[in-house]
Amino acid sequence: KAWKLWTNYFENYHSKHWSHDLGVEQAPNRPETFSFVKNRVLIIGLNIVGGKVHSRTEWKTRLRDEFSWTVQLIERHFDRSAGVYDLGAIVIFGHAGPSGDNAHYFDPLKNYIRDGMKESVPMLYMNGNSHAWLYQPGFLDMNNFLRVQHVGGTSEDPYRVIVEPLKYEGIFQSKSRAVTRSVFTIDRKEASLSDAKK
């Protein structure tokens, strides 16, 4: 029942409720996903959930699909002649954090960031699920990866997330956690509902 409610109200939300020119796309076999690029920031929304695993086969297939799509989206922005990514930052949204149940997404993602991307683009993973504030630089033991977990529900106002990759262009080769934290500003106090609608 919950999935039916989610698909009724949130699937294709971006086209039902907003007029925009963001070029939002969804994975061909996963209409609950979304992605777009704005000012060299790649935004990816995925179906990564917690809770009871109702079907190990579905869970594994979905997470592998989502990992493959994440890589496809990132690789579109790799300039092979220059050997660099034409992205200032990457923001990934999912509901749940890493766990044994979600290893089919997070384990290969860690390997890809380390071995494929060489930790070369600042990344942020935002999730809820545990309903406790978490600010975790060095997520997945990657210096370029920050994780923020929102308290969620109605107990906390929306966050304002400011992504400023251009401020640190050319510096990021140091793969510093401090630089990654500086690219992403998480404002927990000043955001308002009117900001959330922008």
Side-chain angles (χ1 to χ4, degrees):
K1 182 177 177 177
W3 180 245
K4 181 72 174 159
L5 287 170
W6 193 96
T7 57
N8 284 344
Y9 291 101
F10 292 111
E11 194 170 277
N12 297 311
Y13 192 88
H14 63 278
S15 59
K16 291 178 188 174
H17 302 286
W18 290 332
S19 175
H20 60 78
D21 61 353
L22 292 173
V24 175
E25 66 176 294
Q26 294 159 291
N29 57 341
R30 300 284 172 198
E32 70 274 18
T33 63
F34 66 88
S35 174
F36 61 92
V37 177
K38 178 80 172 168
N39 299 328
R40 294 185 56 238
V41 178
L42 174 61
I43 309 289
I44 304 171
L46 301 173
N47 180 2
I48 298 177
V49 295
K52 183 178 180 182
V53 177
H54 298 287
S55 165
R56 292 235 172 255
T57 302
E58 183 281 329
W59 205 274
K60 182 177 179 180
T61 301
R62 177 174 39 82
L63 292 169
R64 286 183 171 175
D65 287 351
E66 300 210 340
F67 168 70
S68 295
W69 193 56
T70 299
V71 171
Q72 289 171 26
L73 292 168
I74 294 170
E75 287 299 308
R76 283 184 197 168
H77 301 278
F78 183 66
D79 181 343
R80 300 215 181 282
S81 63
V84 296
Y85 289 89
D86 185 28
L87 289 169
I90 300 168
V91 179
I92 301 173
F93 294 95
H95 181 65
S99 68
D101 292 333
N102 289 322
H104 292 290
Y105 180 79
F106 288 104
D107 288 353
L109 181 65
K110 176 180 179 174
N111 294 336
Y112 171 69
I113 294 169
R114 182 190 61 228
D115 303 333
M117 294 179 66
K118 309 292 187 209
E119 300 181 60
S120 60
V121 179
M123 297 178 70
L124 169 65
Y125 181 71
M126 291 199 71
N127 73 282
N129 195 44
S130 296
H131 305 286
W133 165 251
L134 178 68
Y135 184 88
Q136 184 181 7
F139 180 49
L140 300 180
D141 295 322
M142 299 288 112
N143 287 321
N144 68 317
F145 212 172
L146 170 65
R147 174 185 175 200
V148 172
Q149 181 173 272
H150 189 280
V151 172
T154 58
S155 62
E156 189 170 32
D157 290 334
Y159 293 178
R160 178 185 302 161
V161 179
I162 301 166
V163 184
E164 300 178 283
L166 299 178
K167 191 162 123 182
Y168 295 94
E169 193 132 37
I171 297 175
F172 200 72
Q173 286 65 28
S174 67
K175 300 177 187 169
S176 158
R177 288 184 187 186
V179 171
T180 298
R181 288 192 306 267
S182 299
V183 169
F184 302 106
T185 303
I186 312 300
D187 186 344
R188 296 177 69 197
K189 299 295 179 195
E190 297 301 320
S192 68
L193 288 176
S194 62
D195 291 324
K197 294 175 185 173
K198 291 181 183 176

